[in-house]
Amino acid sequence: MTGKYNIIEEGKARIKVPIESRISRKLPVFYNPVMKFNRDMSVLLLKAVSDKSLRIALPLAGTGVRGIRLLKELRKGKIKQIIINDHSKEAFRIIKSNLRLNKAKACAENLDANALLLKDSGGFDHIDIDPFGTPNPFLNNAVQRLSRNGILAVTATDTSALCGSFENACKRKYWAIPLHNYLMQEAGLRILIRKIQLIASQFDKALTPIFSYSKDHYMRVFLRCKKGKQEVDRILKQHSTFRNAGPMWLGKLWDRKLVKKMLSLCKDETSRKFLNIIYNESAMNKPGFHDIHNLCKTKKIHNIPSFDIIMKKIRNQGNTASRTHFNPNGIRSYISEEKLVRMIK
Ligand SMILES: C[S@@+](CC[C@H](N)C(=O)[O-])C[C@H]1O[C@@H](n2cnc3c(N)ncnc32)[C@H](O)[C@@H]1O
């Protein structure tokens, strides 16, 4: 193998990674330690669903760390076959080497992601699209290859488009108008979801989000596939505008039972905290939340009560309230802004 490598541990996998300290597209093989959380969530979600004997495709696999973790951390019988692919020659070599290092059995491929997806005639029960930037180039083939009841996972790191720093980029790439305020992450995630659903709808596939979130510099969504025209129509009815932005997905972002199961299986404290917030916010099905700091600023309220006190007051009035993972200053609740302001004052 060319270049210098370190061996690191992540989950139950031991992985050869390039020694370069800066993470960039130019690295021969991409390993981003910050994305360990992203991979932790993948492992946890696939542990939590009851699906068995999965055919899995990882078309943009980098070092292969995600695939190797799935092989080592999921129960026997969960995976029937796993294809770990990357178009880079160096990545392909390191994937094979990492498979040997972990005594893990998978099919390593060295193809363009789209060629890989097109080549395979059968369906995949799980496909993970984890690119640099937008997932757009891979969506068409990924949704076509996704089997009935399959789970598609998508990462998008082009948050400048989705969160409205570049509105025209969002219009071009995601066919929607983004927000660029405290709600931009939630709006961006919902815009991304709608785009994926539109691509799938062409093939009579209805994709429902079962777990989604925004974190650091990326957005992530897992969608469950159902086949059928009526199912697709039901999805499309839930696309609309929100606060002069969109169109976007206004339906549920999470399957609450699944989040509960993930929580019950989660041992890591950081992930538990994150999942707990999501579990609480998944009790409500309404886009948007209140940004308390923003609200107090515009209403010139100087003594802001603690978030716990605000949430207690909301609940005492018979409303549900929760923090939101999208924004540390946010409270998600059905309570109206006027009522909330009166209450804080
Ligand atoms: C963000 S990294 C993947 C990280 C990996 N999934 C993980 O969890 O560690 C993106 C990878 O996609 C590969 N890639 C980019 N464009 C590709 C394409 N068209 N076909 C196949 N692989 C591609 C890059 O070589 C890179 O390794």
Side-chain angles (χ1 to χ4, degrees), residues 44 47-49 260-268 272:
L44 211 49
K47 265 189 190 170
V49 293
K260 194 173 182 186
K261 188 81 204 278
M262 287 167 75
L263 250 174
S264 75
L265 295 168
C266 180
K267 295 190 180 89
D268 174 74
R272 282 190 66 80

Side-chain angles (χ1 to χ4, degrees), residues 34-51:
V34 174
M35 291 302 238
K36 173 183 179 291
F37 182 89
N38 178 315
R39 293 183 282 271
D40 286 347
M41 289 298 128
S42 267
V43 174
L44 211 49
L45 185 135
L46 290 177
K47 265 189 190 170
V49 293
S50 53
D51 311 43

